[in-house]
Amino acid sequence: MRRLNRKKTLNLMKELDAFPKVPESYVETSASGGTVSLIAFTTIAFLTIMEFMVYRDTWMKYEYEVDKDFTSKLRINIDITVAMRCQYVGADVLDLAETMVASADGLIYEPVVFDLTPQQKELQRMLQLIQSRLQEEHSLQDVIFKSAFKSASTALPPREDNSLQSPDACRIHGHLYVNKVAGNFHITVGKAIPHPRGHAHLAALVSHESYNFSHRIDHLSFGELIPGIINPLDGTEKIASDHNQMFQYFITVVPTKLHTYKISAETHQFSVTERERVINHAAGSHGVSGIFMKYDISSLMVTVTEEHMPFWQFLVRLCGIIGGIFSTTGILHGFGRFVAEIIFCRFRLGSYRSTSVPLPDGHTSNHLPLITDNSTH
């Protein structure tokens, strides 16, 4: 009984076989089939390697939502060098809530030489080149996100030469915590002092001939400081053409949550537009000489997540490649043989043309002669 049941089960499994086997004696091989098979295997191998490279790669997914966090503080990271002595300039922030953030809270004034060393100039040229490429190819930002904390530091290297030149500039660097509302970070003549109606700068003791707001922005970012991230104003250098010149930067800050396989941080991206003009009250160009960075906080928050292709999806795509190439090459090979047989058959039919056979009575016969055994000898 057990053997009988096994035979029935085996016969049932044979009936369910969707891949019937053809005996080798019924299989005919050809040179054209071998050529097509070689092309198919080569294509499969190439596409499989390419698909594996896609599987290893990752991409960034962007999601948008309303930013509901309006009570926390916003950190501003600053590293700006101004071509004026430190006792002549002052930096502070004034937001829309009329809240003044004094520079003494987190900014350091360091007397430096404005001209860069060759090594520093090389880094600045590299940053400017990257900035120009980022404006043309926005997808490079994903590469920067994925390489955060792994790439080389973008900070300006310290001076290696012991120059005897006296400091002619002031490096203002550090960080400030401000309210998450629109504000104005500015560097202008004189130290800032509180005022009941806002604030003021002690600029009366500084002569206009000393004004020089040529500056270099080595770093400016909002939120958590992430090494390797290149911000839109990093590497910017502006040279003033007049003593009374105003430089304005209009910045839109977008809160960003970054989640990659390397880091998870809360930072801020921003876009910027620039404007500069000479202050000339007689010509109707009013204002105050200095560097003004007016920022506004976007109400949307962006979540950037690094994603990877699932393994099951890789297998499905791989099966599609293998099966699709085998089916396509089989159809093309069959169609090619069909066309070739039609063409060769026409040549064969044309080779059997009618011939004239002379008869004893002087007539001719246009019929094909019968092929007999004696005629073959």
Side-chain angles (χ1 to χ4, degrees):
M1 287 295 294
R2 290 183 178 179
R3 291 182 178 179
L4 184 60
N5 292 334
R6 289 179 180 177
K7 289 182 178 180
K8 290 182 178 181
T9 304
L10 185 61
N11 292 331
L12 179 62
M13 295 302 295
K14 288 182 178 180
E15 292 178 359
L16 296 176
D17 187 6
F19 309 98
K21 312 300 184 294
V22 180
E24 294 184 0
S25 58
Y26 296 159
V27 177
E28 180 182 359
T29 59
S30 62
S32 62
T35 303
V36 173
S37 299
L38 184 61
I39 295 174
F41 290 143
T42 304
T43 307
I44 289 174
F46 174 74
L47 293 181
T48 300
I49 295 173
M50 297 298 294
E51 189 66 25
F52 181 72
M53 294 176 63
V54 173
Y55 170 72
R56 291 185 57 192
D57 196 13
T58 59
W59 62 89
M60 308 305 291
K61 179 182 178 182
Y62 291 81
E63 297 177 333
Y64 303 89
E65 59 180 320
V66 177
D67 184 16
K68 300 178 181 179
D69 182 14
F70 52 86
T71 59
S72 62
K73 295 289 185 177
L74 175 64
R75 172 170 169 159
I76 306 179
N77 307 297
I78 301 164
D79 191 352
I80 302 176
T81 302
V82 185
M84 292 180 65
R85 297 185 182 276
C86 292
Q87 61 266 28
Y88 295 157
V89 295
D92 62 311
V93 177
L94 186 66
D95 59 25
L96 290 182
E98 298 297 331
T99 301
M100 176 182 170
V101 180
S103 61
D105 293 341
L107 293 183
I108 301 173
Y109 293 77
E110 179 184 352
V112 294
V113 177
F114 188 77
D115 293 334
L116 297 176
T117 63
Q119 182 184 5
Q120 292 174 333
K121 289 182 179 179
E122 185 65 27
L123 177 63
Q124 187 187 34
R125 282 194 295 266
M126 182 192 70
L127 286 176
Q128 292 174 350
L129 178 61
I130 294 176
Q131 296 289 6
S132 62
R133 293 294 300 273
L134 283 173
Q135 293 177 2
E136 299 173 358
E137 303 177 21
H138 301 284
S139 59
L140 290 178
Q141 186 64 47
D142 293 349
V143 179
I144 294 177
F145 279 149
K146 289 189 288 186
S147 62
F149 279 153
K150 295 191 301 181
S151 60
S153 176
T154 58
L156 195 68
R159 302 184 69 94
E160 296 181 354
D161 58 338
N162 296 322
S163 177
L164 299 178
Q165 181 181 356
S166 61
D168 58 352
C170 184
R171 179 191 175 200
I172 304 173
H173 60 99
H175 62 273
L176 295 171
Y177 287 95
V178 298
N179 298 321
K180 290 189 70 174
V181 295
N184 181 4
F185 170 76
H186 51 272
I187 302 173
T188 187
V189 179
K191 301 299 180 181
I193 57 174
H195 193 272
R197 296 184 180 180
H199 76 294
H201 288 262
L202 294 174
L205 301 179
V206 183
S207 63
H208 287 277
E209 288 74 15
S210 302
Y211 289 12
N212 184 3
F213 284 101
S214 300
H215 61 279
R216 183 178 61 252
I217 304 176
D218 297 320
H219 179 80
L220 179 70
S221 64
F222 297 83
E224 184 178 347
L225 188 60
I226 302 178
I229 296 296
I230 299 177
N231 299 279
L233 287 177
D234 293 354
T236 300
E237 185 176 80
K238 299 291 184 180
I239 304 299
S241 59
D242 192 272
H243 293 292
N244 296 325
Q245 190 153 349
M246 172 190 287
F247 296 92
Q248 292 177 303
Y249 299 91
F250 301 93
I251 300 173
T252 301
V253 183
V254 181
T256 304
K257 290 184 178 180
L258 182 61
H259 301 286
T260 67
Y261 291 105
K262 297 295 181 181
I263 64 170
S264 180
E266 293 187 6
T267 182
H268 291 71
Q269 302 180 83
F270 66 91
S271 61
V272 60
T273 55
E274 305 174 11
R275 184 189 177 192
E276 59 182 83
R277 59 189 175 92
V278 177
I279 303 300
N280 189 347
H281 298 286
S285 178
H286 303 291
V288 179
S289 303
I291 304 166
F292 296 86
M293 297 182 178
K294 299 181 179 181
Y295 60 89
D296 192 8
I297 312 298
S298 174
S299 59
L300 291 179
M301 180 176 62
V302 182
T303 302
V304 185
T305 307
E306 185 178 6
E307 292 193 345
H308 189 275
M309 181 188 296
F311 184 70
W312 64 266
Q313 187 175 354
F314 169 70
L315 292 180
V316 171
R317 292 165 64 99
L318 197 61
C319 292
I321 289 174
I322 297 175
I325 291 178
F326 267 119
S327 301
T328 305
T329 53
I331 294 173
L332 294 177
H333 180 241
F335 181 75
R337 291 188 61 181
F338 174 73
V339 173
E341 288 178 357
I342 293 178
I343 295 175
F344 290 152
C345 284
R346 288 185 178 181
F347 279 117
R348 290 174 183 174
L349 291 175
S351 63
Y352 290 102
R353 293 177 297 180
S354 60
T355 58
S356 298
V357 180
L359 296 177
D361 56 358
H363 294 84
T364 60
S365 175
N366 293 327
H367 296 285
L368 293 174
L370 295 176
I371 299 177
T372 60
D373 293 341
N374 294 331
S375 64
T376 59
H377 297 287

